[in-house]
Amino acid sequence: DTNFDSPQQIAVDSSGNIYIADNDNDRIKKHTSAGVFVSNFITSVDEVIGVCIDSSDNVYIAFRNAASDYRVRKYNSAGSLQWTTSTVGTSLWHLATDGTNVYAVRTAQHSFTSISCSTGAIGTTYGSGGSGDGLFSGPTGIAYSALSGTLFVVDRGNDRVQEFTTAVVFVRKWGSAGA
């Protein structure tokens, strides 16, 4: 099954399998590194928006539970549910993990939130609306770099990328509006 309807984010496990958040089909699709369909990994949620995978191949997904009720779930590599957070916000986008926390971008709240990988407890929310260092305007993407040990956040409304330590200390920013 190679059909998609509004795919949102992809992640790769330690075996090279690719997981796609297939938003409007309400599922996570798993494909081999060659693109061959393996399975619908998760199909029991609405509006799957984000996906990331930790070094133990646990899969984290961001989804809409009900109108304006977004949550994150953790599944082990076999697809068994480990936990579901309480409401994280009114809009989630992409996820990233450093193995200790999952970081969820909250677009409408101009911020991102940490979630414990082990318990699913919602931690601290970082940022608010604005254009200064560490402030956001509609952030949409996030990634963790194991090389630098930092988080990169796509700050869409401010036409830039911001970098933070995992202790969420602002490191730097770059980019500006343009074609």
Side-chain angles (χ1 to χ4, degrees), residues 85-109:
T85 64
S86 57
T87 300
V88 178
T90 58
S91 68
L92 287 183
W93 278 85
H94 294 167
L95 302 175
T97 184
D98 62 5
T100 301
N101 289 300
V102 174
Y103 301 92
V105 174
R106 302 170 67 221
T107 303
Q109 292 85 20

Side-chain angles (χ1 to χ4, degrees), residues 58-104:
N58 294 303
V59 179
Y60 303 86
I61 66 164
F63 68 100
R64 182 182 57 82
N65 188 52
S68 299
D69 180 1
Y70 288 83
R71 299 174 185 231
V72 174
R73 282 189 175 170
K74 175 184 179 179
Y75 294 88
N76 65 19
S77 60
S80 295
L81 178 64
Q82 304 299 296
W83 50 252
T84 303
T85 64
S86 57
T87 300
V88 178
T90 58
S91 68
L92 287 183
W93 278 85
H94 294 167
L95 302 175
T97 184
D98 62 5
T100 301
N101 289 300
V102 174
Y103 301 92

